[in-house]
Amino acid sequence: MKTEISKMILPMAVIAVAVAGAFSSNAMNKNSKVFAAKQGYTHTSPSSACNISNMCSDIGTDFCTIGVEEVRLWGKTNPEATTCNVPLYKQ
């Protein structure tokens, strides 16, 4: 009697663990953000031209800067844009 119950419960338990693992790993993939390298630009004022500088990230907390003065770098909304006003972050 015990072996019949074990033979029935054990496969169901294995399937339940496998399904739970699949759902948890899928949730982790949806929550993780993929690093995206973005071209950083410097400009002296919002109306001035954007000058190409270092590569930065569009994900993070610390602003992307360059030089001793830590000049902040900005990104463009698209490559053809004439203004650079998208905040960028350190890689």
Side-chain angles (χ1 to χ4, degrees), residues 2-18:
K2 284 185 179 181
T3 57
E4 289 179 30
I5 294 174
S6 297
K7 287 181 182 179
M8 197 165 110
I9 291 178
L10 186 60
M12 290 179 5
V14 168
I15 290 171
V17 169

Side-chain angles (χ1 to χ4, degrees), residues 8 14 26 30 34 74-75 79-80 84:
M8 197 165 110
V14 168
N26 188 28
K30 288 182 180 179
V34 177
W74 299 87
E80 292 81 32
C84 41

Side-chain angles (χ1 to χ4, degrees), residues 43-77:
H43 62 93
T44 54
S45 69
S47 61
S48 68
C50 302
N51 302 314
I52 290 181
S53 188
N54 293 0
M55 295 299 287
C56 300
S57 171
D58 60 350
I59 301 169
T61 55
D62 294 329
F63 290 121
C64 189
T65 58
I66 188 171
V68 178
E69 296 93 18
E70 294 191 354
V71 175
R72 189 167 165 190
L73 300 180
W74 299 87
K76 293 182 176 183
T77 53

